[in-house]
């Protein structure tokens, strides 16, 4: 049976394609989801890909991930990365492997983006590879899940 991976996207990521394309690229979130579904298939993973602009909804999804049968979480928390103790606490409590992903290289940008609250809960962090970072995250997650079998 293939493992289920939850991919969560935070605020403003629904605007990809038109949002600051010089930073985030021309791909839409739907393009990224399509690429994730393709990569997941090749890795024998099932992906559920979600986006919310609401912090509480992301917290709810993380809380429910275990009972919904997910084996791991990949998260691009958008700006909540830099502000949200609530997301950190939910990720610490969920007892699943977590990979943090960002399209841009957050360390090359404004100083307030250099700190991530959620990194403390993440097994690995991938940033700066644009939409391809999601593919790399899925490959990383497949490795983690394989190693834990
Ligand atoms: C982002 C980086 C964050 O600083 C920003 O607030 C985002 C997107 C990224 O994917 O590069 O919304 O997470």
């Amino acid at each position: 049976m293939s493992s289920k991976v939850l991919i969560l996207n935070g605020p403003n990521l629904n605007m990809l394609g038109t949002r600051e394309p010089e930073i985030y690229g021309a791909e839409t979130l739907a393009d990224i989801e399509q690429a994730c579904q393709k990569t997941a298939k090749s890795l024998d993973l099932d992906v559920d890909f979600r986006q919310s602009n609401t912090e509480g909804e992301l917290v709810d999804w993380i809380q429910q991930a275990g009972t919904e049968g997910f084996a791991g979480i990949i998260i691009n928390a958008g700006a909540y990365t830099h502000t949200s103790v609530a997301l950190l606490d939910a990720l610490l409590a969920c007892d699943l492997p977590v990979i943090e992903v960002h399209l841009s290289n957050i360390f090359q940008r404004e100083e307030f983006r250099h700190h991530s609250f959620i990194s403390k809960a993440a097994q690995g962090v991938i940033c700066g590879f644009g939409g391809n970072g999601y593919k790399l995250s899925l490959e990383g997650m497949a490795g983690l899940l394989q190693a834990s079998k």
Side-chain angles (χ1 to χ4, degrees):
M1 212 177 72
S2 35
S3 301
K4 285 203 314 174
V5 176
L6 181 59
I7 303 186
L8 295 180
N9 294 279
N12 299 307
L13 292 166
N14 55 315
M15 302 296 288
L16 289 180
T18 55
R19 175 193 183 197
E20 299 180 276
E22 66 287 359
I23 295 175
Y24 297 115
E27 267 183 311
T28 65
L29 197 60
D31 294 333
I32 293 175
E33 173 170 11
Q34 209 174 32
C36 283
Q37 297 294 358
K38 196 172 154 203
T39 300
K41 218 172 174 179
S42 73
L43 295 167
D44 195 27
L45 297 173
D46 272 337
V47 155
D48 191 338
F49 193 95
R50 305 179 191 171
Q51 188 275 333
S52 177
N53 290 325
T54 308
E55 188 176 14
E57 187 164 36
L58 293 163
V59 169
D60 286 343
W61 286 341
I62 293 165
Q63 285 184 6
Q64 291 153 9
T67 49
E68 287 181 2
F70 289 101
I73 297 177
I74 294 171
I75 181 164
N76 182 352
Y80 290 143
T81 304
H82 319 296
T83 63
S84 181
V85 177
L87 279 180
L88 168 63
D89 286 348
L91 290 168
L92 286 174
C94 80
D95 209 25
L96 296 173
V98 173
I99 296 180
E100 175 182 351
V101 62
H102 300 282
L103 296 146
S104 63
N105 180 352
I106 54 176
F107 301 104
Q108 216 171 49
R109 301 183 61 197
E110 302 95 321
E111 204 160 320
F112 65 84
R113 295 186 203 273
H114 296 183
H115 178 257
S116 162
F117 277 98
I118 67 173
S119 290
K120 190 174 166 34
Q123 209 120 1
V125 181
I126 291 171
C127 74
F129 292 95
N132 198 38
Y134 285 73
K135 180 175 187 256
L136 298 172
S137 303
L138 274 167
E139 287 167 355
M141 183 61 78
L144 289 178
L145 297 177
Q146 194 56 43
S148 71
K149 270 186 185 160

